[in-house]
Amino acid sequence: EKEEYTLKDQFYGEWNIFRKAEEAKTEAELIKLGPVVKEVVKNLGLKYDDVYHPLMRHITDMWSRSWIGRNYKRVKNFFFPPRKNPFNPTPEEIELAKTVFDFQKSISVRSIGNSNVAEVNVLCPTMRVAEIVNELADVYLKYRRQQHEEEAMSAANILNTQVKRAQEKLEKTEKELQDYAVKHDIKFEFEKEHGDVKILVNKEVELLSTKAAIEEVEAQLAEI
């Protein structure tokens, strides 16, 4: 019993969270999710220079690429060598993370009134901005459709479990009721209605037989 109510609470809790996510004011967070942006970057093969950078990030990147910045880092690593471990990111992973992070900063969404429509703006330093926005919309819709499907399947599985348990309880209760009636020789009221229906059916059968017999006798009489 405790497990059953836990499943119910879990289902309705997740359902409330899901419904809140449907509100237009949260669309910005949904379309800028890390998996969505990362997939767009990979699908289009975007590099760090293909996306917009906030001012301070751009200045930091220029510093790290400059002759002074590169030599400063080399001297720093010579005197204070970084610890090596298997979890250190590769240069490609660092480039991808920087690209995804700055790409997220370039996306803004403005809700239009109380509707489910929103205006998406993406800042981009190249002419690929239209291609990027279209891919972002396609990937976002794919994730949204996947979310709807997973939510619907989860709801169906939980509700099917509840229906199965309710059916088992109903069958158990009916059996206990029948066993109690047999043990104590009790006739419930619905059995009276059941008997009346059987009598009515028998009367209708007799009526049809009588009508057939009458028709046969009338045919013989007409022939005579």
Side-chain angles (χ1 to χ4, degrees):
E1 190 73 23
K2 183 178 180 181
E3 181 183 356
E4 177 181 348
Y5 284 104
T6 302
L7 285 172
K8 288 182 180 178
D9 296 339
Q10 177 185 355
F11 166 69
Y12 288 111
E14 292 177 354
W15 174 260
N16 289 333
I17 293 174
F18 172 77
R19 294 311 305 173
K20 289 179 181 178
E22 291 293 307
E23 298 176 7
K25 66 183 181 182
T26 62
E27 287 296 320
E29 298 177 3
L30 293 172
I31 201 170
K32 294 168 64 175
L33 287 177
V36 176
V37 176
K38 184 177 179 180
E39 185 168 335
V40 173
V41 171
K42 288 187 174 182
N43 290 348
L44 299 181
L46 299 178
K47 302 300 181 184
Y48 188 72
D49 293 333
D50 296 326
V51 299
Y52 163 84
H53 313 297
L55 179 60
M56 291 306 299
R57 293 274 299 173
H58 188 56
I59 294 174
T60 303
D61 182 65
M62 291 178 63
W63 161 259
S64 64
R65 296 187 184 190
S66 66
W67 182 87
I68 299 175
R70 286 184 281 108
N71 284 276
Y72 168 77
K73 184 176 182 181
R74 185 160 43 247
V75 172
K76 178 183 176 183
N77 291 340
F78 177 79
F79 288 102
F80 305 99
R83 295 181 179 180
K84 294 183 178 180
N85 63 72
F87 302 103
N88 284 339
T90 62
E92 292 77 13
E93 291 173 339
I94 294 175
E95 178 81 5
L96 176 61
K98 290 167 54 179
T99 305
V100 171
F101 181 82
D102 283 5
F103 185 25
Q104 285 180 307
K105 296 296 182 182
S106 71
I107 304 171
S108 62
V109 178
R110 184 179 66 86
S111 301
I112 300 178
N114 296 324
S115 66
N116 293 327
V117 181
E119 177 184 328
V120 180
N121 295 306
V122 178
L123 300 177
C124 184
T126 68
M127 297 297 293
R128 300 182 65 186
V129 60
E131 178 187 10
I132 292 173
V133 172
N134 290 335
E135 183 66 20
L136 178 66
D138 291 340
V139 174
Y140 163 73
L141 291 175
K142 185 190 76 170
Y143 274 86
R144 292 288 285 165
R145 183 168 57 252
Q146 181 180 352
Q147 180 188 14
H148 279 283
E149 292 174 355
E150 291 177 353
E151 186 277 333
M153 290 301 299
S154 176
N157 292 335
I158 293 175
L159 292 176
N160 286 336
T161 301
Q162 298 301 316
V163 170
K164 183 178 179 181
R165 292 186 177 180
Q167 180 66 25
E168 292 174 352
K169 286 187 176 182
L170 178 61
E171 292 175 354
K172 180 181 178 182
T173 303
E174 288 181 345
K175 187 176 184 307
E176 291 176 351
L177 187 63
Q178 292 175 358
D179 293 343
Y180 183 84
V182 172
K183 180 178 179 181
H184 298 278
D185 194 21
I186 298 175
K187 260 195 172 182
F188 294 100
E189 293 184 358
F190 71 85
E191 291 189 6
K192 178 179 180 299
E193 281 74 13
H194 181 68
D196 292 341
V197 171
K198 289 181 65 177
I199 294 173
L200 179 61
V201 170
N202 293 334
K203 292 295 184 182
E204 289 180 348
V205 172
E206 292 177 3
L207 178 61
L208 291 175
S209 300
T210 304
K211 286 183 178 180
I214 292 174
E215 291 176 356
E216 184 179 355
V217 171
E218 287 179 347
Q220 294 176 359
L221 181 60
E223 183 179 355
I224 294 173

